[in-house]
Each structure stands twice: as C-alpha cells, then as structure tokens.
C-alpha cells in the first residue's frame, strides 16, 4: 500500500490509511483484517492525554501534544490550506471522528517503511508479520531495488516460530513513542534516547543511530557527564506520578509507561555508577 512520499506532511499517510478504513470495498480488505483494533494499538498518535506526564520528559511530552494538536487541527479543517489533501477530498462525506484519525495515524506510523529510490512510504503485510529484535538473524531484501519484498531467513525456521527482523537500534523511549512496545531488555542497559549525551531526539535516524559505546573522555568530561545523568535521574525520581497506581495488568498503557520509567532509571543508575567507578568516586543518587 502506497501511503505517501518522504516529503509529504504527516496528513498524507494518515488520510491514505483512513480511506481504506472507511472503504467497505477496499482492495486491501485482507490486509486490513490483519491490523489491530483501535484499542489494541498505541503510540504518540492515539495515546490518551492522561498519560502525557508519565513520560517525565519535556521532549516526549511535547511530541505527544504536537501529534494531538495536528490531528485535532486536521479534523477541524484548520490545516486545509496547507496540506496536500483534505479529509473530504479523500473520503467524501463519510463521517470521520477524531478517534478515526488517531487510529489511522497510529496504523500508518507504526507500519510504513520508506524507500529512498522511489521516495515513498510503503505498507506491506510482510512487515506486519514480523516483530522487532535488534539482534535478529532474519532480514528483508532491499526494498528499494525491486518491486517485491523477500524475507530472508538467517537461521532455520520451523512452523510456529516467531518471525522477527530489526527495526533499527531502537531505544526504549523511541520504541514506545513510535511503536507502542518496549524492546527486549538488554545488559548493560541502554540510555533512553532523550538521555543520550550525543543525540538530539528530534534528529534521530535509523541510518545514524546514537553510539552504543560507553561514555569516555577526560576526567573532567566524565565528571560533567556523571553530573548531567545524576541531575536527570533525580528529576525523574522526584517528578510526581500524574495517575494513581493501577493494578498490574488492568491498564496496558499505564503498565507500559511505568516499565519505561523503571528501565530509564535503571539505565541512568548503571551509567552513573559506571562513570563513578572509572573516576574512583562514589555515585551520589
């Protein structure tokens, strides 16, 4: 499914998916049946605003609010003079709710891949059938050199085995914001994207991910980095929880965000203690 181009606004893939969602005769009916229901999918497009403060990150809170603002503006028609297509141009007089738009946005943004050669955003069932694993041995054929996508097995597979491939060097916070899941836990724990010393999260690219190497430098530089991470750690720890505790398993998004917070703190603590050890000092947490 071709859902837009690399230079298009966010509205294009959202509206292209919305068209298929609303069309009872869509030629992608079998593909559409594979998509999760609205309550089985979450990312920054459709995460409820009550969870925003659970990010405990200015960047990710702003990111989610921006998505909400743009989708609400698209729904109201406020973006019509500036976007490639309006809702009415794509689906006619079919009623469209803000929840419809959020769902279409979440479907497209968790599923499309880009191809530099055609500069298009493409959705294909072969991607939906595979989960992310950074170290997965399976891979996809280069999809910018052919009209077909081929899954290449890097190890023997038998019926019932889970199929995976790497979506990229996803950090926990990026994975939750864009895909709605937490990657496999790794050791040593990796810093969240917003906490990495060399990464502007807004400029993240799968092609140029942040370094996986431990921080190194002069003693002064390591001390400054330890102080920076310690300040972040204390800020997260001291930030009030915006929601009351929920029973485990009763709210997927709440559980997801609390686990993300726990992983973030664990990674910060590990890297702070690692720097303290190298400096021959004690970590003050």
């Amino acid at each position: 499914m071709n859902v837009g181009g690399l230079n298009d606004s966010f509205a294009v893939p959202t509206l292209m998916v919305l068209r298929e969602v609303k069309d009872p005769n869509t030629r992608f009916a079998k593909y559409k049946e594979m998509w999760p229901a609205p309550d089985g999918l979450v990312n920054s497009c459709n995460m409820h605003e009550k969870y925003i403060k659970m990010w405990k990150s200015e960047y990710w809170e702003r990111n989610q609010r921006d998505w909400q603002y743009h989708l609400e503006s698209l729904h109201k028609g406020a973006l019509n003079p500036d976007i490639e297509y309006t809702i009415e141009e794509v689906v006619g007089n079919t009623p469209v709710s803000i929840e419809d738009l959020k769902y279409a946005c979440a479907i497209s943004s968790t599923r499309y891949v880009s191809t530099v050669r055609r500069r298009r955003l493409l959705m294909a069932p072969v991607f939906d059938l595979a989960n992310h694993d950074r170290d997965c041995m399976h891979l996809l054929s280069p999809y910018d050199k052919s009209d077909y996508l081929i899954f290449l097995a890097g190890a023997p597979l038998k019926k019932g085995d889970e199929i995976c491939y790497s979506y990229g060097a996803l950090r926990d916070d990026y994975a939750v914001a864009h895909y709605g899941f937490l990657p496999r836990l790794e050791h040593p724990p990796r810093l969240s994207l917003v906490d990495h010393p060399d990464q502007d999260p807004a400029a993240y690219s799968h092609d140029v991910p942040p370094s996986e190497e431990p921080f190194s430098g002069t003693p002064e530089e390591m001390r400054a980095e330890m102080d920076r991470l310690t300040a972040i750690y204390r800020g997260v720890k001291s930030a009030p929880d915006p929601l009351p505790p929920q029973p485990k398993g009763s709210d997927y998004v709440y559980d997801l965000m609390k686990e993300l917070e726990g992983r973030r703190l664990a990674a910060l603590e590990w890297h702070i203690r690692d720097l303290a050890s190298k400096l021959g000092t004690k970590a003050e947490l």
Side-chain angles (χ1 to χ4, degrees), residues 52-53 60-70:
I52 289 178
K53 285 293 184 181
W60 288 120
E61 289 174 22
R62 184 174 65 251
N63 173 77
Q64 188 178 336
R65 292 188 193 280
D66 284 348
W67 275 109
Q68 290 190 349
Y69 170 78
H70 286 301

Side-chain angles (χ1 to χ4, degrees), residues 51-209:
Y51 301 108
I52 289 178
K53 285 293 184 181
M54 291 190 74
W55 285 107
K56 298 187 178 181
S57 158
E58 181 180 343
Y59 174 80
W60 288 120
E61 289 174 22
R62 184 174 65 251
N63 173 77
Q64 188 178 336
R65 292 188 193 280
D66 284 348
W67 275 109
Q68 290 190 349
Y69 170 78
H70 286 301
L71 287 166
E72 289 168 0
S73 298
L74 176 63
H75 187 246
K76 294 174 183 176
L79 299 182
N80 286 359
D82 303 310
I83 57 177
E84 297 84 350
Y85 309 100
T86 67
I87 294 175
E88 291 75 14
E89 288 170 345
V90 173
V91 299
N93 294 323
T94 302
V96 174
S97 69
I98 183 64
E99 296 305 320
D100 290 334
L101 280 182
K102 289 180 179 180
Y103 175 65
C105 178
I107 286 289
S108 65
S109 61
T110 55
R111 280 159 172 74
Y112 69 66
V113 296
S114 59
T115 164
V116 174
R117 185 176 181 182
R118 290 188 63 204
R119 301 195 62 76
R120 308 305 297 164
L121 304 177
L122 306 173
M123 289 174 53
V126 67
F127 289 97
D128 294 23
L129 292 170
N131 290 323
H132 165 72
D133 187 331
R134 191 162 73 98
D135 299 320
C136 184
M137 299 179 68
H138 313 313
L139 66 154
L140 292 167
S141 60
Y143 46 84
D144 58 349
K145 297 180 180 179
S146 169
D147 290 337
Y148 299 94
L149 291 165
I150 301 173
F151 233 117
L152 304 173
L157 289 167
K158 61 181 183 296
K159 185 177 180 179
D161 284 351
E162 181 180 7
I163 303 296
C164 63
Y165 76 101
S166 175
Y167 296 4
L170 305 184
R171 300 290 171 133
D172 289 343
D173 51 341
Y174 185 94
V176 169
H178 289 268
Y179 297 104
F181 71 85
L182 281 164
R184 174 174 50 84
L185 194 60
E186 298 185 37
H187 186 80
R190 304 159 76 216
L191 289 170
S192 291
L193 191 64
V194 291
D195 299 333
H196 196 282
D198 302 323
Q199 183 67 41
D200 173 6
Y204 173 80
S205 166
H206 290 323
D207 297 326
V208 189

Side-chain angles (χ1 to χ4, degrees), residues 12 23-24 44-45 64 102 122 164 206 213 215 232 246 282 285:
V12 174
D23 183 359
S44 292
C45 290
Q64 188 178 336
K102 289 180 179 180
L122 306 173
C164 63
H206 290 323
E213 296 299 318
F215 186 90
I232 296 172
Q246 304 293 314
K282 183 179 179 181
L285 297 174

